[in-house]
Each structure stands twice: as C-alpha cells, then as structure tokens.
Amino acid sequence: MDTLFQPYRLNGTLTLANRFMMAPLTRCMAGPGLVPTEQMAAYYGRRADIGLIISEATIIRPDGQGYPNTPGIYSPEQIAGWKQVTEAVHAKGGKIFAQLWHVGRLSHPFFHHAEVLAPSAVAHEGTVPRMRELVYQVPRALTVAEIGQLVEDYAQAAANAIEAGFDGVEIHGANGYLIDQFLHHSSNLRTDQYGQTPENMSRFALEVVDAINARIGSERVGLRLSPGAYVHLAGSPADRAVFDHLLAELNKRALAYLHLGIFDDSLTFDYLDGRASDYLRAHYDGHLVGVGNYSAETASEAIKADRFDLVAIGRPLIANPDYLSKLKAAEPLVPYSEAMLAELV
C-alpha cells in the first residue's frame, strides 16, 4: 500500500500528502442558524492527516436544506463557524474542501418555509431521513431566471468557502440532489434549454462549474457525479448520452478532480457497461477519485490497475479518527456502527 501514502500532485497549486480523501459525511450536527461548531472543528482537526478532507455537504442557501442541522455557508455567522474548522485542519497541516449542496426536490418547507424547487414538478416518494413524519412534496419547476440565480448562488457560496479558509470546493452534483436531478430523465422533464437533449440537460451543471471556476479558480474546484442512478432517482438508458456529453465537455475544462458519488462501487449499470467508476475512467481525462466500500487494500489494487487515482474513505473514518496511523501500524480498525452517528468523535 506504499503508493497510497505517497504525496499526490493535483495541480500546480495543490499537492496532497497522500492519496486518501475523507468522503463527505452528513452528520447533522450544526448549531443554531446552521452554524458549524467548535465540536465540528475538533472532529475535522482529528482527521487532518488525510490527504484531502471533503466537508459534509454544505447548503448554499436556505431552500437547499433537506436534513436537520446541516451546516450552511451563506451567512456571516456560518462563514465564521467554518473558519474555526479550517483553522483546526490547517493547524495540523491538513487540507480541506467544502462540498457545496442544494438538495432540490429532496427539501421540505419545514426547513425554510418556502417552496420546494427542482428541475421539474416530480416528487421523490418517501419521507425525510431522520424526520420520518415529513413526506416529500411535489416541487415547483424552476424558471429559467431562477436557474440563473442558482448559478450565481453556487458561485457566491464558493467565494464564501474561500473566505472561510477552505482550500477549495467540491460541487455536489451527485446522489440525486439538485444538479443530479437535471442530469437524469426520471427527474428532468423540461422542454426548454435545460431539458430533453444531452446538451440541454448538462447545461446547468456546466454553468455551475464555469461560474465557480471563474470566481475562485479551477485548480480549487472538484465535482462529484453519479452517472449511475442508485439513490433518490430512477435510472434510464437515455441517461448514458447525457453523461457522455457532460464528460466530454468537462474534458475541455480544468478541474482539480472528479469524484464518483456511490455507496458501493461493486454495483453495475447496464447503460454504463458495468461499474460507474470504470465508466468515468474511460470517459474523463483528469484526476479521478474512487469511492464505495473500498478498504486500503482494495483501493491500492484499484489504483495500481489504473481504475482511479485517489480513494475517498467514509464510514471507517467516522469510526477511526486515527485511520491512517492504524493502517501504518497494521493495527485493527474499529468497526463502524450507526450508533457512532450520535456524536462527533
């Protein structure tokens, strides 16, 4: 596993201490006003030896919230709270990106007393996690003007992240949330310039990428994508053409990396000809982050086989703040359990 512990150069301004990343892990532990807390700063600081920490998904504006107590990055108080986090990570020599998030149709008026907005008026069936009494509602389809405002809000959130001391941002375009809802036919029924064709369905994602790149510099921008619909969405064979086009366009742009969004990378998708990670590797030319139930051993094998360049670790890092030191010492890892979600350790 020596390769995993070697420095990795993402670009001319960012070299990681190793090939491990901390996957974004929603913990629902923000304080009043969705402000990050000192406890969160200590939590991230304890994991600062990871090559790059990706923060828990962070709301770009109030109507982007879909879970209780998830942090935002749109108010001065939230920016100040995140400064505590980034300072804790940097004090130990670490690097951290903020993951920028809007949940789209997976929101609920309970959180913000406003309409739920999405590409199309198609509800997600089910109830809000951790608040099962809340049933998802039929969203209102965004107007073209509102889509333009969202692009600006993403760019402002990225600027806020840099003000808060983050080393960069990861755009959350995966897991069935707002950007991903534009990219799949089951959730995008639009007939305007944001729907129907691969070019149109990719437009919003590319506008967000371009706006953030222009605001903070492409070397500070990553993107997470889920070409295989596996959560919050139904997949369609027609989705393949959307992602073929999107990835071809991303190859014309600079990004720090592309990050697969999936819980288990052993899943296969007929319309992707197999695993989503292999599909991304075949179609994207830049740095690729693998994720989805990898151990250090299986990640090392995948990297040696050139399936991806870095690996994001999730639940094992919740259970083991000292994950890297345990690996180096060949010590057993503490198994993850859902009970661990009750507190930040």
Side-chain angles (χ1 to χ4, degrees):
M1 296 189 295
D2 287 351
T3 299
L4 289 170
F5 291 96
Q6 298 302 311
Y8 187 82
R9 185 178 184 272
L10 278 176
N11 51 52
T13 63
L14 190 60
T15 296
L16 309 183
N18 50 68
R19 292 194 189 219
F20 289 99
M21 289 171 54
M22 179 173 167
L25 297 160
T26 295
R27 301 302 307 272
C28 300
M29 292 259 183
L34 307 185
V35 174
T37 64
E38 291 183 6
Q39 188 182 21
M40 288 169 59
Y43 165 80
Y44 284 108
R46 281 190 287 270
R47 292 156 175 85
D49 57 349
I50 294 294
L52 180 61
I53 293 173
I54 310 301
S55 81
E56 60 207 278
T58 302
I59 306 157
I60 65 164
R61 66 186 208 183
D63 65 1
Q65 185 177 1
Y67 300 76
N69 304 318
T70 48
I73 195 157
Y74 52 84
S75 76
E77 294 79 13
Q78 292 163 356
I79 294 170
W82 279 118
K83 284 181 179 178
Q84 296 181 85
V85 174
T86 60
E87 288 170 358
V89 171
H90 291 152
K92 295 186 177 180
K95 293 180 172 65
I96 182 169
F97 274 27
Q99 192 188 58
L100 305 182
W101 193 31
H102 191 299
V103 302
R105 69 177 185 172
L106 295 173
S107 186
H108 194 282
F110 172 85
F111 296 117
H112 44 72
H113 309 293
E115 293 179 290
V116 176
L117 302 174
S120 301
V122 181
H124 177 63
E125 294 184 7
T127 58
V128 175
R130 309 192 191 205
M131 303 186 76
R132 296 298 182 184
E133 70 277 11
L134 301 179
V135 178
Y136 287 118
Q137 300 189 355
V138 177
R140 177 172 65 76
L142 288 153
T143 67
V144 170
E146 288 171 332
I147 292 172
Q149 183 60 57
L150 273 163
V151 172
E152 291 300 315
D153 292 338
Y154 271 100
Q156 183 59 53
N160 292 348
I162 299 305
E163 181 183 346
F166 283 99
D167 298 287
V169 303
E170 178 176 286
I171 303 165
H172 197 344
N175 298 10
Y177 298 118
L178 178 63
I179 292 174
D180 204 23
Q181 290 161 25
F182 276 89
L183 297 172
H184 292 271
H185 284 271
S186 67
S187 51
N188 184 347
L189 308 182
R190 301 180 72 95
T191 57
D192 62 5
Q193 63 263 48
Y194 290 95
Q196 293 190 306
T197 69
E199 294 80 4
N200 288 346
M201 294 173 68
S202 300
R203 191 181 308 277
F204 178 57
L206 292 170
E207 287 178 346
V208 171
V209 168
D210 290 343
I212 292 178
N213 280 358
R215 183 68 73 92
I216 68 169
S218 61
E219 72 280 0
R220 294 182 171 191
V221 182
L223 173 64
R224 199 173 207 205
L225 291 177
S226 295
Y230 73 104
V231 63
H232 301 140
L233 288 171
S236 164
D239 294 344
R240 166 67 180 262
V242 179
F243 282 90
D244 282 354
H245 175 78
L246 175 61
L247 293 168
E249 288 298 314
L250 290 174
N251 282 333
K252 301 174 185 177
R253 295 158 166 83
L255 284 173
Y257 61 82
L258 192 65
H259 183 183
L260 174 64
I262 201 163
F263 296 147
D264 185 350
D265 195 27
S266 68
L267 292 175
T268 59
F269 302 86
D270 290 344
Y271 60 90
L272 300 180
D273 303 322
R275 289 181 293 202
S277 56
D278 293 334
Y279 167 76
L280 289 179
R281 191 56 146 181
H283 290 82
Y284 181 66
D285 298 336
H287 305 289
L288 182 62
V289 181
V291 72
N293 270 349
Y294 283 97
S295 66
E297 292 81 3
T298 58
S300 178
E301 292 168 2
I303 288 172
K304 288 179 181 177
D306 197 33
R307 292 189 48 236
F308 46 78
D309 304 298
L310 303 109
V311 63
I313 303 296
R315 290 175 175 178
L317 267 169
I318 292 177
N320 299 270
D322 52 352
Y323 178 82
L324 287 193
S325 63
K326 283 183 175 177
L327 289 182
K328 291 176 181 177
E331 296 177 0
L333 297 174
V334 175
Y336 166 83
S337 73
E338 288 194 6
M340 295 174 178
L341 295 178
E343 58 181 277
L344 291 176
V345 176

